[in-house]
Amino acid sequence: MNLTEWPLLVVADHHKDEFEKERLGELIQQLKKDNITVIPSINIEHIVDLCASQRDISGVLIDINMNASRASILEAVVALRKRFPRLNIFILAEKSSAEELPTEILESTNGFYWLDDDTVTFMAGRLSHLIKEYAESNYGPFFKGLVNYVNEYKYAWHTPGHMGGEGFKKSPAGTALYNFFGENTLRSDLSISVPDLGSLLDHSGPIGDSEKFASDTFNSDQTYYILNGTSTVNQVIWRSQVSRDDLALVDRNCHKSLNYAMVITNAKPMYMMPRRNALGIIGPVKMTEMTEMTSLHKKSASPIISEEELGKDIVMSALTNSTYDGLAYNVRKVKKELGNHVNYIHFDEAWYAYARFHPIYDGFYGMTPDENKEHPPVFTSHSTHKLLNAFSQGSMLHIKNGDKETIVPDEFNEAYMMHASTSPNYPMIASLDVSTKMMHDNGVQMSHDNILDAIELRQKMVRIQKEFLQKGEWFFGMWQPTEYKGEAFDSVSKNTLAENQDAWVLQPNAKWHGFEDLEEDFILLDPIKLTFTTPGVEADGTYTENGIPAGIVADYLMNKGIVTEKTDTYSFLMLHSFGTSKGKQGELLSALLNFKKDYDNNTSLEVVFPNLLEESDKYQGMGLKDLCDAMHHFYKENNFLAEMQKAFENLPEQTMKPADAYEQVVRKNVEYTYLEDMMNKIPAVMIVPYPPGIPVMMGGEILNDASKAVYNYLSILEKYENTFPGYEKDIHGVERDIVDGKIKYKTLCIKETNLGE
């Protein structure tokens, strides 16, 4: 343990008393001899901010006799303890002044040292001991074991072959990598051959201890670390419970990894349809889609479920929680509705792992405490690396046992091992361990600070928009409530909004969200998921005369070094994560204001997007407003949002299971078919346009007259790409050929099938 990495903040000023000044100087020198780094400060008012910005500070030593009022010292100590419950707070005083210390200070501190009594060696030794204890307490079970093992400098005769980085140093290319990542990173890249650290496959040793610690922290009955992303978490969950021809009830708005899970398990899916509003934003699944009666209707209407199977249980259900735009379900209501006719409930919470750590999300996340114990087992998947703090692909799988069924760990582990590597990445495991420790120790405070900062940005956007509207000008909007208890959203205290869940629960009759038939107390908008809206379409879907497609704004921001998470037609999503700083907020606002200026001035594309002119001569002589107008008019003339709505609302007919369609790919019974020839054909793979990133067609569904809306929608996208070079859409399952200078879409379709002719 390197104590120099955990500095002590000493808050004191120059004493008039030479004895006290000399003794304090001796104490600081002794601390330095004991390898304690000392940060001096004379400002009692700013110590909370300093400790918040420098989280490696291990303790604060405050001289009670410094030139500051006792009231200001008391205020600082109480504020420190409230903000940092585990931080060491020490008081340095004369023994004679001990009786004068207020009770609040006595309650809030860890130790008291008397300059005129205790020896300098004793005081420094005591402080060093407590700093060491604090430093060690910040290491999770696995990370502590990993650090201790690496610090033993053992000779390795096992994999990986670079042997702690030594192998990389045999080549200039490897040396470059070694110098970039550093010795500790490479020496901690170990093999499963190290018994000291336990096994990820049988969840033993420090790894098992860390997973148990995560289970307690995230309020699950079982937690598993998974190192190849939440796509694999979803696969493990389904593989553990679903087998050939089992029935599944799935959110059509689910991630493609869940669709692949249906392929791998050979399940027969039925779909719960999400709402959409006029902006094209995907909303929640209706509660009526989750009822037993609706499920019976879906069974009887499904072409791939035989009459003999109508009495079969629905084995698995899956809901995306929260949605891409931050809409989360009242989990207690969902469990009550699904739990009486579904064997297992799965919440895909890839982007929502922090919900456990703030009361504003209470009841709206999968592992939420529930007085109603009568529910089936519940699974939750977390992309820990996305919005907590872990290395990429680091994810967690959480299980809450049901009232009648407990998930047996040994049985479940068979599915786990089927998808786990026998050569896990130990630094990645350490990052999951550290992420857990961070949330256990500081999750509530971190979440609250993040929510406050997100609300502050939301309110700032509203105020800027109001300023421009008063001048008859446009600005970007925010998709969010417009008021709280009759008061304008931007006028409500940010603390009030951060502390009251009902400020974020969607009210059925509120116009801002645009969803019809919304249930009471059913859907929560996550404050840290920021959906910005651009001019171009009204809340009822009516196009305005002029508009600004969000894709152009996203490109503009990208050129400014700002990357959006998701871009829709007239909205884009930004994630306000723990790593979002005030500086990032300021740069975003500045970039949006600069976009407005360049749009209003119709700044030449030669200045704004010089790369577009390299892409095509169609953009010669155009300005930013010209490009926005052209794209907006394209959307308007083709009624793009309405066509997209129809495509996603009308499910194509299933002709076979997704697994059977994929089997045709494996057996090479497929061929690429151009979009213009796809009517009455069956795609063998899912077709997933981004945005919105959900399947418009699944493998095995037929493109016929009943699903003509899908054909129309894809045709518009193809036409769009030919009209606006450089703005190609990302569509999983669609490839492109250039024929006579034009882009033509093609998809793998099943051969020898031309139904409907």
Side-chain angles (χ1 to χ4, degrees):
M1 189 70 63
N2 188 355
L3 293 185
T4 61
E5 297 173 349
W6 299 95
L8 175 70
L9 177 64
V10 177
V11 187
D13 51 20
H14 296 295
H15 284 278
K16 295 178 181 178
D17 188 307
E18 286 298 323
F19 172 76
E20 289 184 2
K21 180 179 179 181
E22 183 178 339
R23 292 276 283 178
L24 180 58
E26 291 175 0
L27 176 60
I28 291 174
Q29 289 304 313
Q30 185 60 48
L31 287 167
K32 291 179 178 178
K33 288 180 182 178
D34 292 345
N35 294 319
I36 303 298
T37 302
V38 173
I39 300 176
S41 175
I42 61 172
N43 195 332
I44 192 70
E45 287 83 6
H46 292 164
I47 60 174
V48 173
D49 291 338
L50 181 56
C51 289
S53 63
Q54 194 165 334
R55 293 310 306 273
D56 56 353
I57 289 175
S58 61
V60 181
L61 178 63
I62 302 172
D63 181 1
I64 201 73
N65 291 326
M66 68 182 300
N67 292 324
S69 68
R70 287 293 172 89
S72 63
I73 293 174
L74 172 61
E75 182 180 352
V77 169
V78 171
L80 267 178
R81 177 54 68 223
K82 181 179 179 182
R83 180 69 186 272
F84 312 109
R86 297 174 52 251
L87 185 68
N88 286 315
I89 304 174
F90 309 113
I91 297 296
L92 195 64
E94 298 175 359
K95 192 172 183 180
S96 59
S97 65
E99 296 178 358
E100 303 172 9
L101 294 177
T103 302
E104 292 91 339
I105 286 185
L106 295 171
E107 290 176 337
S108 300
T109 50
N110 299 83
F112 305 89
Y113 301 95
W114 321 121
L115 280 172
D116 55 355
D117 187 13
D118 295 323
T119 67
V120 167
T121 304
F122 175 82
M123 286 187 286
R126 183 65 183 159
L127 288 168
S128 298
H129 173 73
L130 292 172
I131 288 170
K132 183 174 185 291
E133 280 190 343
Y134 175 80
E136 289 180 343
S137 74
N138 290 311
Y139 289 74
F142 177 76
F143 186 46
K144 183 176 182 180
L146 181 64
V147 170
N148 289 339
Y149 182 87
V150 168
N151 286 340
E152 289 177 3
Y153 293 90
K154 296 182 179 181
Y155 279 115
W157 288 77
H158 54 70
T159 59
H162 63 73
M163 297 287 183
E166 287 300 316
F168 286 113
K169 295 163 70 175
K170 306 298 183 183
S171 154
T175 300
L177 182 143
Y178 183 96
N179 292 338
F180 180 80
F181 284 108
E183 182 176 347
N184 277 348
T185 299
L186 296 170
R187 289 184 60 233
S188 63
D189 183 24
L190 299 169
S191 164
I192 200 169
S193 304
V194 178
D196 309 50
L197 298 175
S199 167
L200 187 65
L201 295 181
D202 59 20
H203 316 284
S204 61
I207 292 177
D209 293 340
S210 183
E211 288 181 323
K212 290 183 180 69
F213 181 51
S215 178
D216 292 338
T217 301
F218 288 90
N219 194 45
S220 73
D221 292 321
Q222 300 172 44
T223 287
Y224 296 85
Y225 290 165
I226 291 185
L227 306 188
N228 32 356
T230 306
S231 293
T232 300
V233 177
N234 292 339
Q235 300 282 4
V236 172
I237 290 170
W238 279 62
R239 178 72 85 174
S240 72
Q241 310 301 331
V242 182
S243 60
R244 179 180 296 274
D245 292 334
D246 280 346
L247 305 187
L249 185 62
V250 185
D251 181 0
R252 186 72 176 197
N253 178 32
C254 67
H255 188 261
K256 64 182 181 182
S257 62
L258 279 164
N259 293 311
Y260 286 133
M262 290 187 284
V263 171
I264 288 175
T265 59
N266 232 298
K268 291 188 174 183
M270 302 174 291
Y271 296 103
M272 296 179 281
M273 292 299 296
R275 300 171 174 89
R276 281 177 178 273
N277 65 14
L279 289 172
I281 292 175
I282 301 168
V285 170
K286 293 182 179 180
M287 194 179 291
T288 54
E289 287 281 285
M290 305 176 193
T291 65
E292 185 173 11
M293 184 61 68
T294 300
S295 293
L296 290 172
H297 288 314
K298 290 181 185 293
K299 285 182 187 179
S300 60
S302 173
I304 64 172
I305 298 175
S306 67
E307 188 173 346
E308 292 75 21
E309 294 177 301
L310 295 179
K312 289 175 63 173
D313 288 349
I314 297 174
V315 174
M316 182 72 76
S317 68
L319 277 173
T320 305
N321 192 48
S322 66
T323 68
Y324 300 104
D325 288 280
L327 299 177
Y329 293 93
N330 185 323
V331 163
R332 296 182 179 118
K333 290 188 175 183
V334 171
K335 287 195 295 186
K336 188 174 181 181
E337 202 61 63
L338 287 174
N340 63 354
H341 65 104
V342 172
N343 294 351
Y344 304 97
I345 299 174
H346 176 197
F347 293 102
D348 182 358
E349 296 185 346
W351 303 80
Y352 196 47
Y354 48 84
R356 161 74 172 155
F357 303 96
H358 197 279
I360 208 162
Y361 302 113
D362 178 50
F364 286 82
Y365 62 95
M367 292 292 108
T368 193
D370 194 348
E371 294 178 2
N372 174 27
K373 305 297 182 184
E374 296 181 3
H375 59 76
V378 177
F379 296 89
T380 297
S381 41
H382 281 173
S383 289
T384 317
H385 63 98
K386 283 192 168 75
L387 284 170
L388 295 188
N389 300 281
F391 290 165
S392 289
Q393 294 193 46
S395 298
M396 295 189 200
L397 187 162
H398 305 288
I399 301 172
K400 181 76 72 177
N401 290 321
D403 61 314
K404 295 182 177 66
E405 181 181 356
T406 296
I407 301 300
V408 180
D410 289 344
E411 294 176 1
F412 183 83
N413 204 48
E414 290 299 315
Y416 180 91
M417 290 192 295
M418 196 176 295
H419 293 274
S421 170
T422 55
S423 301
N425 183 281
Y426 277 49
M428 193 184 296
I429 300 172
S431 76
L432 289 169
D433 183 63
V434 169
S435 182
T436 298
K437 181 66 173 169
M438 289 179 68
M439 299 311 292
H440 178 273
D441 292 350
N442 308 108
V444 173
Q445 186 65 59
M446 289 166 56
S447 296
H448 191 67
D449 290 346
N450 190 41
I451 288 171
L452 285 174
D453 288 346
I455 291 171
E456 196 171 285
L457 178 57
R458 286 175 175 276
Q459 292 183 320
K460 181 66 174 176
M461 282 292 299
V462 175
R463 292 175 189 134
I464 294 174
Q465 186 185 44
K466 284 184 175 180
E467 288 179 21
F468 281 116
L469 289 176
Q470 287 172 359
K471 296 186 288 186
E473 299 183 34
W474 72 273
F475 194 61
F476 301 97
M478 294 294 297
W479 189 68
Q480 63 187 13
T482 55
E483 62 177 37
Y484 177 58
K485 294 186 175 180
E487 187 176 355
F489 181 85
D490 59 308
S491 300
V492 182
S493 158
K494 65 179 182 180
N495 287 302
T496 298
L497 292 174
E499 293 165 3
N500 289 275
Q501 186 182 79
D502 61 337
W504 303 96
V505 173
L506 273 61
Q507 302 302 317
N509 297 323
K511 294 181 179 179
W512 69 266
H513 56 70
F515 299 122
E516 297 179 355
D517 304 322
L518 202 62
E519 300 86 347
E520 289 277 359
D521 190 30
F522 186 52
I523 299 298
L524 175 87
L525 174 64
D526 187 347
I528 74 162
K529 306 275 176 60
L530 309 174
T531 298
F532 294 74
T533 59
T534 65
V537 63
E538 303 289 359
D540 62 359
T542 304
Y543 289 91
T544 55
E545 179 62 27
N546 297 105
I548 300 174
I552 297 175
V553 181
D555 274 4
Y556 186 94
L557 294 176
M558 179 76 78
N559 287 349
K560 301 288 185 181
I562 299 170
V563 183
T564 63
E565 175 54 44
K566 176 179 72 74
T567 305
D568 280 310
T569 314
Y570 290 99
S571 68
F572 58 92
L573 174 69
M574 309 294 273
L575 303 174
H576 201 290
S577 65
F578 293 137
T580 303
S581 63
K582 297 286 187 177
K584 287 182 180 179
Q585 286 190 359
E587 288 216 3
L588 174 61
L589 292 172
S590 176
L592 293 176
L593 288 165
N594 283 329
F595 181 96
K596 172 179 168 52
K597 180 175 64 177
D598 284 333
Y599 173 86
D600 291 345
N601 293 336
N602 199 24
T603 302
S604 170
L605 293 184
E606 292 183 10
V607 176
V608 180
F609 295 137
N611 58 306
L612 277 184
L613 274 69
E614 298 172 6
E615 193 79 35
S616 172
D617 58 8
K618 288 185 176 182
Y619 300 111
Q620 290 292 338
M622 291 181 69
L624 182 59
K625 185 176 184 302
D626 297 330
L627 177 60
C628 290
D629 285 347
M631 196 175 290
H632 174 67
H633 291 148
F634 177 92
Y635 287 143
K636 189 175 180 180
E637 289 166 7
N638 290 277
N639 203 14
F640 179 75
L641 288 173
E643 293 298 326
M644 181 173 69
Q645 182 94 334
K646 292 176 189 175
F648 283 99
E649 281 188 343
N650 296 288
L651 283 181
E653 180 186 349
Q654 295 172 303
T655 66
M656 61 183 73
K657 293 180 297 183
D660 291 342
Y662 179 71
E663 186 177 337
Q664 300 303 308
V665 178
V666 176
R667 297 186 182 282
K668 309 297 187 289
N669 187 37
V670 291
E671 60 187 354
Y672 275 109
T673 304
Y674 285 125
L675 176 61
E676 62 195 40
D677 301 319
M678 270 182 62
M679 287 301 293
N680 298 312
K681 298 282 188 178
I682 301 174
V685 296
M686 70 179 86
I687 300 175
V688 186
Y690 289 84
I694 64 175
V696 68
M697 289 196 79
M698 283 292 295
E701 295 176 344
I702 186 169
L703 187 62
N704 56 16
D705 286 339
S707 53
K708 185 74 179 293
V710 174
Y711 176 85
N712 293 339
Y713 172 56
L714 292 173
S715 297
I716 293 172
L717 292 181
E718 185 182 68
K719 180 181 176 183
Y720 170 89
E721 292 190 17
N722 282 297
T723 306
F724 299 102
Y727 281 94
E728 287 76 20
K729 297 288 186 180
D730 180 13
I731 311 176
H732 176 92
V734 167
E735 303 297 333
R736 295 162 179 80
D737 283 339
I738 304 297
V739 180
D740 297 329
K742 295 285 188 180
I743 294 171
K744 293 186 70 172
Y745 284 0
K746 64 180 183 180
T747 293
L748 276 177
C749 292
I750 298 171
K751 287 181 182 178
E752 301 169 4
T753 303
N754 202 18
L755 304 179
E757 290 192 353

